[in-house]
Amino acid sequence: MAPITLHLRAETKPLEHRSALSPAVVKKLVESGFRVNVERSPTDPERIFKDSDYEPYANLVEAFSWPKAPRDHVIIGLKELPEEDFPLKHTHIQFAHCYKGQAGWDQVLGRFASGGGTLYDMEFLEDDNRRRVAAFGYHAGYAGAALALEDWAWQLQHGAEIPLPGKKPYNTESDLLKEVKSDVAAGIGKNDGKAPQILIIGSLGRCGRGAIDLCLAAGIPETNLLKWDLAETSAKDGPYEEIRESDIFINCIYLDKPIPKFVTEDFLKEGSSNRRLSVVCDVSCDTTNPHNPIPFCNRPTYFDKPTVAVDSFANPPLSYITIDHLPSLLPREASEAFSNALLPSLLELPNASTAPVWQRARKVFEEKLATLPLTHGLAKSS
């Protein structure tokens, strides 16, 4: 059997500095018999790893050249492909964000249908316990909690008129933590010496653990952390008074079905005299999902403009964070952890037709493909 060629494409999303494959993982793949082509990093966004870090092991190719790659090359990247309409003929490994009814899902899948390509969505690469084999959840929660704390402190120091300034990726986790600690201390000083109360839903998952770890590392007392998961949210329907009475709400759930709303604008206004909530960080970032449990978090935010103010709220103001690539705040650590976790499954790619991880992901793709409207040339079974 000819060796598999992986083609690491350059990312196009603004401020996306992560990589699906670290240089160390590329080295291990090549030592295991794979061929790896790595697109040279564009200057914007610039990959956290230098091209020269890959050069001893991989073949460096022109950025954005993957559409011209031979059909049997496997294209691997992180974020969504640019919104174009040419058919997709390759096998792609990526986060596509098109399996849960997100805006434009049919256009994305329609390109695979018309080109005969295959999508292995990284979100659906699961082990035998149906747990994702690789995820950025921990660093998403960690970075989201960091921005939430910074926004809380910023509001106390600057009011609602000036939004939290834009952020750029940090070279190391310690650089981020040093800044957050300083901001939190300043915020506590403006809050009569009181640390914020923070409610985290989804606290038992990777994302929730990352949020908790950041809060504790930043000096938030554990008694100020309300750690909720399924037991708490299933005990009663939302909206939840505990969210309204917390300073910060961090949503870390995995949303795959309709659930009661966690918090709404009307609910917050009804109990305005009890409202402490001033910052919502929706790490799950389901802004276009029809089942979004935080309906007012309905617009994406970005690192250069990380927050959106919710109108008609003052004393305290209310803003939210819905950045869908939060781990890019810590691109080096996030990329290394993710690609190391993905490596064992990538080594199974030569046996994709029988390897359970790839079989399951292929099955999900085919099931979603079958739901496409007739306009994409696929008929649903009757």
Side-chain angles (χ1 to χ4, degrees):
M1 179 186 295
I4 286 181
T5 298
L6 284 171
H7 184 116
L8 177 64
R9 60 177 172 83
E11 300 294 331
T12 57
K13 191 177 185 72
L15 302 176
E16 178 55 86
H17 302 279
R18 292 173 296 169
S19 176
L21 301 177
S22 69
V25 163
V26 167
K27 178 176 184 290
K28 292 176 182 176
L29 286 166
V30 171
E31 289 172 347
S32 299
F34 285 72
R35 293 175 180 164
V36 183
N37 293 336
V38 174
E39 293 188 2
R40 294 183 183 275
S41 175
T43 55
D44 186 19
E46 187 174 11
R47 188 187 290 129
I48 188 63
F49 305 111
K50 298 181 183 301
D51 291 345
S52 58
D53 295 336
Y54 292 98
E55 200 161 16
Y57 324 111
N59 177 37
L60 294 179
V61 297
E62 181 184 353
F64 315 123
S65 60
W66 64 265
K68 301 175 184 176
R71 191 184 190 105
D72 62 347
H73 287 196
V74 178
I75 314 301
I76 185 168
L78 286 179
K79 301 303 290 183
E80 310 93 278
L81 297 172
E83 292 184 9
E84 300 180 78
D85 57 8
F86 63 85
L88 296 173
K89 63 183 181 181
H90 296 95
T91 292
H92 285 257
I93 304 172
Q94 65 176 81
F95 290 103
H97 303 297
C98 63
Y99 283 179
K100 297 188 286 184
Q102 295 98 327
W105 71 272
D106 52 337
Q107 284 84 5
V108 175
L109 284 178
R111 295 177 66 190
F112 285 97
S114 58
T118 299
L119 170 63
Y120 288 120
D121 196 306
M122 288 173 168
E123 188 174 346
F124 296 86
L125 296 179
E126 298 177 334
D127 63 19
D128 292 340
N129 296 316
R130 297 304 171 96
R131 182 174 174 81
R132 285 167 62 178
V133 300
F136 285 102
Y138 179 86
H139 287 95
Y142 196 97
L147 292 181
L149 282 171
E150 292 199 313
D151 192 28
W152 172 82
W154 180 267
Q155 289 179 4
L156 288 167
Q157 295 174 82
H158 301 277
E161 298 303 317
I162 306 173
L164 180 70
K167 298 291 179 181
K168 292 185 177 179
Y170 295 81
N171 192 47
T172 67
E173 188 177 294
S174 59
D175 293 337
L176 170 63
L177 188 56
K178 180 180 178 181
E179 180 179 296
V180 175
K181 282 182 172 181
S182 175
D183 288 347
V184 167
I188 289 173
K190 289 283 189 179
N191 196 42
D192 299 324
K194 295 181 292 187
Q197 178 168 294
I198 304 170
L199 192 151
I200 301 167
I201 297 185
S203 64
L204 296 180
R206 292 184 179 103
C207 178
R209 291 198 304 274
I212 291 167
D213 285 353
L214 180 282
C215 291
L216 294 174
I220 304 301
E222 189 150 8
T223 52
N224 284 47
L225 300 180
L226 301 181
K227 306 170 189 176
W228 281 25
D229 211 275
L230 282 173
E232 289 78 13
T233 56
S234 58
K236 58 181 179 180
D237 286 344
Y240 298 110
E241 184 67 27
E242 290 86 348
I243 294 177
R244 186 161 57 189
E245 294 178 349
S246 294
D247 298 285
I248 298 172
F249 167 42
I250 303 175
N251 178 36
C252 295
I253 70 162
Y254 177 77
L255 181 65
D256 61 353
K257 61 184 178 182
I259 60 174
K261 304 304 180 190
F262 289 162
V263 63
T264 65
E265 283 188 72
D266 288 342
F267 177 72
L268 291 175
K269 290 174 181 175
E270 289 166 7
S272 57
S273 61
N274 298 326
R275 182 177 69 88
R276 290 172 53 184
L277 185 69
S278 64
V279 177
V280 175
C281 182
D282 186 10
V283 181
S284 301
C285 205
D286 286 300
T287 54
T288 65
N289 191 310
H291 310 311
N292 182 359
I294 317 169
F296 58 83
C297 292
N298 55 15
R299 291 165 52 192
T301 66
Y302 307 93
F303 284 124
D304 56 350
K305 294 181 180 178
T307 64
V308 167
V310 183
D311 294 337
S312 305
F313 287 93
N315 301 317
L318 177 63
S319 59
Y320 65 79
I321 299 163
T322 49
I323 298 171
D324 72 355
H325 57 134
L326 281 166
S328 262
L329 205 61
L330 294 167
R332 184 176 302 278
E333 288 96 340
S335 297
E336 289 171 346
F338 181 86
S339 56
N340 280 329
L342 185 62
L343 177 60
S345 298
L346 291 176
L347 294 174
E348 287 293 314
L349 265 178
N351 308 310
S353 61
T354 56
V357 167
W358 300 105
Q359 277 186 317
R360 283 189 287 265
R362 177 65 181 252
K363 182 173 184 288
V364 175
F365 167 67
E366 291 173 348
E367 289 171 350
K368 298 299 180 181
L369 208 63
T371 67
L372 278 172
L374 293 175
T375 51
H376 291 286
L378 293 177
K380 295 182 182 178
S381 344
S382 55

